[in-house]
């Protein structure tokens, strides 16, 4: 079973930046699209961004376009989410997951990790 471990979250002021990392347990990263999801308090989990297995395609939610950048390093079994110009509404627990189907559909597959908390507050 593939395990994913998220890291890099923290407390940041509005306008600040964070880079999240998603480490994959097995050397199978190159076969899968990987997506980032987030869950704000009292809200459902939502898709944020996704990258194809070969990195030739990406998808972003409208709310993060122009501010977030997803990338992957298959050699290190890691997917990153660079988050710039953070806003309070970006606050939540961020998770990564394997994604199946069309990137824009953000259909997760497999189990969830513990996530990493991102808090944007002055």
């Amino acid at each position: 079973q593939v395990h994913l471990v998220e890291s890099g979250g923290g407390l940041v002021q509005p306008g600040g930046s964070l880079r999240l990392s998603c480490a994959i347990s097995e050397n199978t990263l190159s076969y899968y699209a990987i997506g980032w999801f987030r869950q704000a308090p009292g809200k459902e989990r939502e898709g944020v961004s996704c990258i194809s297995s070969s990195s030739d395609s990406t998808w972003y939610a409208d709310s993060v376009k122009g501010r977030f950048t997803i990338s992957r390093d298959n050699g290190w079994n890691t997917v990153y989410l660079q988050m710039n110009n953070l806003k309070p509404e970006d606050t939540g627990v961020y998770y990564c997951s394997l994604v199946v189907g069309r990137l824009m559909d953000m259909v997760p597959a497999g189990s969830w990790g513990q996530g990493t908390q991102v808090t944007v507050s002055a």
Side-chain angles (χ1 to χ4, degrees), residues 4-120:
L4 298 93
V5 178
E6 304 90 347
S7 63
L11 173 64
V12 64
Q13 293 184 343
S17 298
L18 286 172
R19 189 176 81 154
L20 306 184
S21 297
C22 171
I24 318 297
S25 63
E26 298 181 5
N27 191 24
T28 57
L29 176 65
S30 61
Y31 300 133
Y32 299 102
I34 302 293
W36 282 97
F37 299 77
R38 68 186 179 190
Q39 187 166 21
K43 295 187 177 181
E44 293 186 355
R45 195 171 303 182
E46 63 174 353
V48 174
S49 181
C50 189
I51 187 167
S52 65
S53 58
S54 60
S55 301
D56 60 352
S57 297
T58 58
W59 175 87
Y60 297 93
D62 288 343
S63 59
V64 307
K65 279 182 181 177
R67 301 187 298 120
F68 290 12
T69 302
I70 191 170
S71 62
R72 64 193 295 160
D73 186 336
N74 288 344
W76 288 99
N77 293 343
T78 305
V79 173
Y80 304 98
L81 186 67
Q82 177 67 43
M83 306 188 297
N84 298 328
N85 190 22
L86 283 161
K87 304 176 180 181
E89 51 264 42
D90 294 318
T91 294
V93 180
Y94 283 68
Y95 304 87
C96 59
S97 174
L98 308 182
V99 170
V100 295
R102 298 186 305 174
L103 297 186
M104 63 189 299
D105 292 333
M106 291 292 287
V107 177
S111 59
W112 295 101
Q114 293 190 340
T116 185
Q117 176 70 46
V118 171
T119 303
V120 185

